[in-house]
């Protein structure tokens, strides 16, 4: 494997369901389902905006998705509740395997880049509060070209920005749509299968490598 690794942020490095605890205070047993639907709708809104050519900050997709799921579930969250949930989303935790795996990769002199649909400001803040910002060599945000993954232009921008060939650029993501998008654009890709029950989309574009954690990835790269 080559030495340029581009890590997806939301869902791969950062646990997007870290908001469940805050949701539980308001929704009780319905918190996990609300969190899942919020994440699904957030991605759907980004995809739809990408197709429409109507780019907006990823945080806007997140807020609009929160509003939709609140209406769809009849949860009747207050505006204060929604602001607190959005604030929680800005300080979500990193998965436990992230920091030690990144440290091992740094010791192996692998180039490590955070690559996200989120804005640069939002992602910097998120990684900083999680204590892992300094473990990256660079940060690439889609806002720089105002398109969303899995648009092929986003992956082309990534490897051009890194001055690496597609074949030398490895996307590392827990999101199958991201892995397939990278493969379609000619990049190499690692799927981090964080749940043993998670299926991969049956499109025929399989990841070059599948791991259950970033620890496993670091071990295989050592």
């Amino acid at each position: 494997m080559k030495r340029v690794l581009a890590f997806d942020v939301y869902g791969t490095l950062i646990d997007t369901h870290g908001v469940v605890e805050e949701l539980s205070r308001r929704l009780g047993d319905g918190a996990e389902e609300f969190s899942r639907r919020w994440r699904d709708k957030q991605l759907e809104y980004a995809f739809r905006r990408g197709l429409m050519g109507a780019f907006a900050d990823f945080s806007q997709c997140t807020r609009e998705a929160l509003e939709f799921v609140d209406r769809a579930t009849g949860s009747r969250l207050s505006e204060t509740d929604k602001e607190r949930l959005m604030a929680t989303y800005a300080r979500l935790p990193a998965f436990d395997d992230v920091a030690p795996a990144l440290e091992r990769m740094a010791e192996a002199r692998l180039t490590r880049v955070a690559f996200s649909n989120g804005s640069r400001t939002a992602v910097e803040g998120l990684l900083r509060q999680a204590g892992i910002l300094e473990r990256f060599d660079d940060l690439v945000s889609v806002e720089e070209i105002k398109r969303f993954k899995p648009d092929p232009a986003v992956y082309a921008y990534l490897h051009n920005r890194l001055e690496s060939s597609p074949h030398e650029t490895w996307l590392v993501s827990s999101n199958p749509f991201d892995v397939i998008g990278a493969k379609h654009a000619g990049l190499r890709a690692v799927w981090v299968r964080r749940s043993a029950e998670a299926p991969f989309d049956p499109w025929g574009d399989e990841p070059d490598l599948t791991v259950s954690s970033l620890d496993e990835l670091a071990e295989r790269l050592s």
Side-chain angles (χ1 to χ4, degrees):
M1 182 179 292
K2 297 294 183 179
R3 294 183 176 272
V4 180
L5 301 175
F7 293 84
D8 170 64
V9 175
Y10 293 97
T12 303
L13 302 175
I14 299 296
D15 185 1
T16 56
H17 294 299
V19 74
V20 168
E21 182 178 349
E22 188 70 24
L23 281 167
S24 294
R25 297 190 181 100
R26 293 156 177 79
L27 304 178
D29 293 340
E32 289 193 10
E33 177 64 12
F34 191 103
S35 175
R36 183 192 64 77
R37 293 184 66 177
W38 185 8
R39 170 63 171 166
D40 287 348
K41 186 60 69 169
Q42 173 203 50
L43 291 174
E44 178 190 332
Y45 281 179
F47 297 159
R48 286 163 60 178
R49 284 188 171 278
L51 287 169
M52 292 165 59
F55 182 84
D57 191 282
F58 196 55
S59 64
Q60 181 175 331
C61 297
T62 305
R63 178 57 193 251
E64 290 168 347
L66 172 60
E67 185 66 39
F68 175 87
V69 178
D70 179 49
R71 295 179 185 181
T73 59
S75 298
R76 297 185 179 181
L77 296 171
S78 69
E79 288 305 309
T80 299
D81 288 336
K82 293 170 188 174
E83 290 302 324
R84 286 177 177 169
L85 287 166
M86 288 297 296
T88 299
Y89 214 89
R91 56 176 187 271
L92 291 170
F95 289 103
D96 291 341
D97 61 339
V98 173
L102 289 174
E103 184 63 28
R104 288 186 64 182
M105 293 175 195
E107 292 171 357
R109 299 184 181 278
L110 293 162
T111 299
R112 303 158 320 283
V113 178
F115 175 46
S116 181
N117 271 342
S119 70
R120 185 176 188 89
T121 298
V123 173
E124 280 186 350
L126 195 58
L127 299 182
R128 181 178 293 108
Q129 63 82 35
I132 57 175
L133 179 62
E134 299 306 318
R135 299 181 188 269
F136 290 96
D137 299 297
D138 201 352
L139 189 162
V140 178
S141 166
V142 303
E143 72 173 346
E144 295 160 15
I145 61 168
K146 299 192 182 306
R147 302 194 186 184
F148 284 119
K149 303 181 199 175
D151 189 323
V154 174
Y155 302 100
Y157 177 78
L158 171 69
H159 71 76
N160 288 331
R161 162 78 178 274
L162 299 177
E163 298 183 345
S164 60
S165 71
H167 187 75
E168 292 175 327
T169 308
W170 286 73
L171 174 79
V172 181
S173 180
S174 66
N175 298 300
F177 80 85
D178 199 8
V179 170
I180 291 172
K183 292 287 292 180
H184 178 73
L187 276 63
R188 310 294 289 277
V190 178
W191 181 35
V192 184
R193 191 182 188 188
R194 289 202 170 277
S195 169
E197 291 75 39
F200 195 81
D201 294 309
W203 285 30
D205 293 312
E206 297 297 319
D208 295 283
L209 179 64
T210 297
V211 296
S212 61
S213 68
L214 292 186
D215 286 331
E216 181 183 346
L217 179 60
E219 178 67 27
R220 297 183 73 160
L221 295 175
S222 300

